[in-house]
Amino acid sequence: MLKPAPFAFLSTVLRRCTRSVRLLAAAVLLTGSGAVAAESLTTVTAGSLPALPAQVAGGGLFHVDGRVVALGQDGAWVLGADYKAWEALPAVAAQVHALKGSASAAGRTYLLQGADAFSTTLQPLTLRNGALAFGQALALPQPLAHAQAAGLGDALYLVGNDAAGSTRLYRRTAAADSAAWQPLENLPQPGVPSTLQAQKGALYVGMGVAGQSDQLWRRNVDASWQQMASPQGTIVAGSVRALGQAHLLMLVKAADGRIQARTFHTITDAWTTLDVAPVVAPQAVTAWGNGLAWATAGSKGSQLQYAEMQGGKHLLRWLDWTVIGIYLLAMLGMGFYFYLRDQNVSTADFFVGGRSIPFWAAGISLYATNTSSISFIAIPAKAFDTNWQYLTNNLIAVMGLMFVAVWIVPLLRRLDLMSVFSYLETRFHPAIRMLSSALCILMQLGSRMSVILFLPALAISTITGVDVIWSIMLMGVFTIIYSTLGGSKAVIWTDVVQVVVMFGGALFAIGFIFMQTGGDLPQLLNAAAAEDKTRLFDFSFDLTKATVWGFIFLVVFDVVLTFPKDQVLMQRALSTRSDKEAGRSIWTFAAIMIPGGFVFYGIGTALWMYYRNNPERLNPLLPIDATFPLFIAAELPAGVTGLIIAGIFAAAMSTLSSIINSISTLVSVDFYQKLVKDPNEKTAVRIAEWAGVGVGLVGIGIALVMSRYDIHSLFDVSIELAGLLGGGFAGAYTLGMFTRRANAPGVAIGVAGSVVITLVCWSMDLVHPYFYLAISILLCIVIGYVASLFFPAPRQSLKGLTIYSDTAAEAAAP
């Protein structure tokens, strides 16, 4: 009896799933459209701190070396490490009488001091041996009234009114005491500065205007000024602090005289009032944990209160777990299906699907492999934070993929490879093949697998409370089982299902947001466009921005020149029936990339629309990258949350399974079959299966290590590793395919030279790590080609190995 073909099996499953999802979506959208209440997602904890024995001076509450310090007319105090009592410090009466405010920059605390209404100096301050130690005072560029200071990076910024009443802005380096103040552009609006604070690389200036509510202005990184939404009140001087990655927290005095704690979201330009009792006439304000502490006048001294924000977890419900469980079991079922269907598989069956995969399935698998869970989370966050300019990369990458589809992939497919590094042996030398294969395995383990497992697990854990370890284990173990049981067929066909799950969840999220915002699509898009949220192209020549020219440069090096050496991607194309279908798989990949990009960037814009109208539903304590997971967990109905988290798992598992399958292929084909004298197919498959298990466990292990240490440093190392060691062999492919003169000795010199010189650049910290890949490729091409000129031209036939037409002798050869 004939067994069902994969397409028939999948089409039946997908047809039934689609029908069920359609009915579920309609029911959920109807019942869940009013599910969101307008309450805050964060709670505020309020309390009292020990009272001071004297009254705090205006602006006399600040942090010094991590400790809270209070200055009063009768002395100075530091709050004990246990927060139970104030400890007296030696008197600093002169500083108290001259105090105008304080600022922090580059890890140092500064006091603004002066005479009468003007500030004239910034006084560095440290806490040393139980006393306040004052450094050399920094003279202000001119006496300034209502002066405010703030730190941004390693720079100090100063704003205030000069003697003529004009508002001035200055900057100087905080690290060097001898640095000069640099005058910057004046503020567009005259007024009285009430605050200066940095957040997300920008400066925020509160301006008091006679007879009006305070204005809030933002100085962007390009030195342009932008007026933000008004706080509808007067900002209490010295009360503003940065909170999280995108919020400002402050005290605002409303028109009725009440002083309330409010947050401002710098991305959506929206204000939220916190649920805390009004503050009564604060004498001084400072940061306290994730909130504020302030002093008010008491009968014997100052009374101190605080209010601190706390975020909660949004635990998954039983229906969510059911959906996730069904998805994971379905992936296992597909792995077992292909395992039972093909008991006696050959190496070609296990590694490249018997070269029988339809081009459209291979193309969808290419997209799934290229779209990791990092993209599922980070791309909406990027569009939410900025605009669609990074989508330009997708549009330009399509042009690069067209070149790959026409010239590169058919050339390699005609060679009937299972490992892309076999090409380097045929074109150059076996040693180059084995070394490049080993480095590829190392980079995939160190640069991709662990990060792809850890980052989505961390995002899900931050929001839902699901332990990071459990998320890593769920994704890792299930992927190992189905990818090693079913081989490349299971990997490719599960990728097809995973893309459906991923897009289904993403489109549902967009539709749900539009229903919640209550506006029609054109109206919402016009509102986003008015705020520059859908800006796509930037043709400027500013190398610090995401410009079209920068993306062209990136695509040339990251798509065109590195695609041939990417075993994970090329293995999909090598699984097709012919070189023509291999090219078509790339066209399919390119065709999905553009609408797929619009979907994920559209999620980010939809999130911006939603949270602009519902700023209280944000959690200021979470990073920007957690915005989409927060929406999934906090806003979507039960079951749908599980579906979209399954989509995040799908994005991770599709890339992970492709990496496991590709590395196991390299271990078996490039090492076992090359090093063993009489290899046989059955043993080669078994080695690949065990290699897949081992690779998966190593990836899980590294991800678990990441969960215990600093992810940022490890992530940076992974990027650097990919650039330092991967560019040389991309250059080797370029020399092999695009030149006829390159030879093995010259390429070996080019690879070694590029690695060494790139390592020197890395050791001297000359460029950003993202440039290492391009530098390494260019160096290998230039050095390798020049070095090849000093050795004889290749004597072996280059028939079918370059993009050029065969010579007469090659064409005549069998």
Side-chain angles (χ1 to χ4, degrees):
M1 181 178 178
L2 293 175
K3 296 178 181 178
F7 176 75
F9 169 77
L10 286 171
S11 62
T12 302
V13 172
L14 292 177
R15 185 169 59 252
R16 293 177 179 175
C17 289
T18 302
R19 186 181 303 141
S20 301
V21 169
R22 191 184 302 122
L23 293 174
L24 175 65
V28 171
L29 282 173
L30 288 174
T31 59
S33 59
V36 178
E39 72 272 6
S40 175
L41 287 187
T42 56
T43 58
V44 181
T45 302
S48 300
L49 295 174
L52 277 169
Q55 300 294 339
V56 173
L61 200 61
F62 44 84
H63 286 76
V64 181
D65 298 334
R67 304 284 296 276
V68 180
V69 173
L71 290 182
Q73 299 294 336
D74 301 323
W77 298 266
V78 61
L79 186 61
D82 57 2
Y83 310 132
K84 293 182 178 180
W86 291 91
E87 302 168 6
L89 298 173
V92 285
Q95 281 71 27
V96 175
H97 288 297
L99 184 63
K100 303 295 181 184
S102 63
S104 296
R108 302 175 72 180
T109 300
Y110 297 86
L111 299 184
L112 272 166
Q113 297 176 319
D116 299 326
F118 290 88
S119 298
T120 56
T121 60
L122 269 174
Q123 180 75 62
L125 180 66
T126 58
L127 191 61
R128 188 181 306 159
N129 299 325
L132 295 175
F134 296 90
Q136 181 180 355
L138 308 178
L140 301 191
Q142 61 175 312
L144 295 173
H146 310 290
Q148 304 289 332
L152 177 56
D154 63 348
L156 268 170
Y157 287 84
L158 180 71
V159 67
N161 297 130
D162 61 16
S166 299
T167 306
R168 303 293 185 184
L169 180 67
Y170 297 90
R171 178 191 183 276
R172 62 159 288 157
T173 302
D177 292 339
S178 60
W181 289 97
Q182 301 172 349
L184 303 177
E185 65 284 346
N186 292 335
L187 273 77
Q189 172 68 46
V192 176
S194 61
T195 186
L196 180 65
Q197 181 63 52
Q199 177 62 293
K200 279 187 84 269
L203 282 176
Y204 290 84
V205 181
M207 294 288 290
V209 180
Q212 302 178 24
S213 294
D214 280 5
Q215 296 179 356
L216 186 65
W217 289 85
R218 177 169 67 195
R219 183 181 186 269
N220 300 305
V221 292
D222 61 357
S224 63
W225 286 98
Q226 180 181 0
Q227 186 172 2
M228 314 305 292
S230 170
Q232 299 301 317
T234 303
I235 300 173
V236 175
S239 69
V240 183
R241 62 159 300 186
L243 190 65
Q245 291 185 336
H247 280 80
L248 296 176
L249 173 63
M250 67 196 75
L251 298 179
V252 177
K253 184 177 182 180
D256 60 5
R258 291 189 303 168
I259 300 176
Q260 298 174 311
R262 305 192 68 190
T263 61
F264 175 75
H265 189 224
T266 60
I267 296 174
T268 59
D269 193 27
W271 291 87
T272 301
T273 301
L274 301 185
D275 185 17
V276 63
V279 179
V280 180
Q283 299 169 306
V285 187
T286 191
W288 178 264
N290 289 317
L292 295 171
W294 59 89
T296 56
S299 58
K300 297 182 179 179
S302 292
Q303 303 295 318
L304 282 96
Q305 288 82 37
Y306 69 87
E308 188 173 11
M309 302 186 71
Q310 295 181 336
K313 300 286 186 180
H314 306 278
L315 300 180
L316 297 182
R317 291 146 288 189
W318 68 267
L319 188 56
D320 298 320
W321 282 113
T322 301
V323 172
I324 294 172
I326 291 173
Y327 162 74
L328 293 174
L329 290 175
M331 297 300 100
L332 280 186
M334 293 187 69
F336 277 106
Y337 168 78
F338 286 104
Y339 176 73
L340 296 175
R341 180 178 179 273
D342 302 311
Q343 284 288 329
N344 299 311
V345 295
S346 64
T347 53
D349 289 326
F350 191 84
F351 299 142
V352 288
R355 304 195 193 279
S356 62
I357 303 298
F359 73 88
W360 58 267
I364 294 174
S365 180
L366 277 166
Y367 179 80
T369 300
N370 192 64
T371 306
S372 70
S373 54
I374 303 172
S375 303
F376 197 96
I377 294 171
I379 288 177
K382 191 67 178 177
F384 172 76
D385 185 15
T386 57
N387 49 39
W388 290 8
Q389 281 181 242
Y390 281 82
L391 181 57
T392 309
N393 184 54
N394 289 42
L395 305 179
I396 297 175
V398 167
M399 293 186 288
L401 288 174
M402 291 178 184
F403 182 87
V404 170
V406 173
W407 295 102
I408 295 177
V409 168
L411 185 154
L412 293 175
R413 176 61 185 82
R414 285 193 294 269
L415 299 175
D416 282 336
L417 308 176
M418 283 186 280
S419 163
V420 295
F421 300 107
S422 300
Y423 171 83
L424 293 180
E425 176 179 2
T426 305
R427 179 67 174 85
F428 297 118
H429 193 274
I432 296 179
R433 168 190 180 175
M434 297 186 71
L435 181 58
S436 60
S437 181
L439 288 175
C440 175
I441 294 172
L442 176 64
M443 286 186 297
Q444 292 293 344
L445 282 172
S447 302
R448 296 193 68 188
M449 282 191 66
S450 51
V451 175
I452 287 167
L453 272 171
F454 175 68
L455 290 185
L458 179 63
I460 293 171
S461 173
T462 302
I463 304 300
T464 66
V466 178
D467 193 273
V468 173
I469 294 176
W470 278 109
S471 291
I472 292 172
M473 295 297 291
L474 280 174
M475 289 186 288
V477 171
F478 276 82
T479 305
I480 290 172
I481 294 173
Y482 80 73
S483 61
T484 54
L485 282 176
S488 63
K489 288 183 181 178
V491 170
I492 291 172
W493 289 109
T494 53
D495 282 351
V496 174
V497 176
Q498 286 165 338
V499 167
V500 173
V501 173
M502 186 168 56
F503 273 115
L507 291 171
F508 191 99
I510 294 176
F512 190 86
I513 293 172
F514 284 147
M515 291 195 68
Q516 291 293 337
T517 52
D520 58 25
L521 182 58
Q523 179 183 353
L524 293 172
L525 290 178
N526 288 336
E531 296 293 331
D532 211 26
K533 298 300 292 184
T534 55
R535 182 183 181 188
L536 192 55
F537 299 110
D538 184 351
F539 290 97
S540 69
F541 291 92
D542 188 346
L543 297 180
T544 64
K545 295 181 179 179
T547 65
V548 171
W549 317 113
F551 285 124
I552 291 175
F553 178 82
L554 180 64
V555 165
V556 169
F557 287 97
D558 199 33
V559 176
V560 176
L561 298 184
T562 61
F563 202 99
K565 80 171 187 65
D566 195 327
Q567 173 73 18
V568 178
L569 295 177
M570 279 298 305
Q571 196 162 339
R572 262 86 242 129
L574 296 175
S575 301
T576 55
R577 299 184 179 108
S578 65
D579 57 324
K580 183 178 292 186
E581 290 221 344
R584 288 176 178 174
S585 71
I586 306 300
W587 286 104
T588 304
F589 175 26
I592 302 174
M593 180 175 286
I594 293 179
F598 277 106
V599 167
F600 288 112
Y601 280 91
I603 290 174
T605 303
L607 289 171
W608 179 85
M609 297 172 182
Y610 178 79
Y611 286 117
R612 183 178 174 88
N613 294 330
N614 302 279
E616 68 282 350
R617 301 295 293 173
L618 280 166
N619 183 346
L621 308 182
L622 293 176
I624 296 172
D625 279 345
T627 304
F628 189 33
L630 172 67
F631 179 84
I632 293 168
E635 313 300 348
L636 295 180
V640 180
T641 298
L643 175 66
I644 300 184
I645 289 181
I648 296 176
F649 280 5
M653 293 167 68
S654 60
T655 306
L656 190 64
S657 63
S658 298
I659 293 173
I660 290 174
N661 184 244
S662 298
I663 293 180
S664 63
T665 299
L666 295 180
V667 170
S668 182
V669 174
D670 287 338
F671 292 93
Y672 167 73
Q673 295 186 16
K674 290 296 294 180
L675 298 177
V676 174
K677 186 175 182 180
D678 295 312
N680 65 78
E681 289 199 349
K682 185 175 181 180
T683 304
V685 172
R686 294 294 171 263
I687 287 176
E689 290 173 342
W690 284 109
V693 173
V695 165
L697 292 176
V698 170
I700 291 173
I702 298 175
L704 293 176
V705 171
M706 281 186 168
S707 68
R708 301 299 180 191
Y709 295 95
D710 180 17
I711 173 59
H712 298 291
S713 61
L714 289 172
F715 187 57
D716 289 342
V717 167
S718 71
I719 294 173
E720 294 175 12
L721 183 65
L724 292 172
L725 301 180
F729 292 99
Y733 271 95
T734 304
L735 287 169
M737 291 184 173
F738 294 94
T739 73
R740 300 178 65 88
R741 185 63 179 80
N743 50 47
V747 168
I749 294 172
V751 170
S754 68
V755 171
V756 170
I757 296 176
T758 310
L759 283 171
V760 171
C761 295
W762 169 76
S763 65
M764 300 175 66
D765 199 22
L766 295 179
V767 296
H768 190 278
Y770 286 109
F771 287 102
Y772 292 150
L773 181 64
I775 291 173
S776 185
I777 293 174
L778 281 174
L779 287 171
C780 180
I781 293 172
V782 174
I783 297 174
Y785 189 81
V786 172
S788 295
L789 299 177
F790 292 91
F791 298 94
R795 295 179 180 178
Q796 79 272 21
S797 173
L798 299 181
K799 182 178 181 180
L801 296 178
T802 71
I803 65 171
Y804 303 106
S805 300
D806 297 333
T807 63
E810 291 170 345

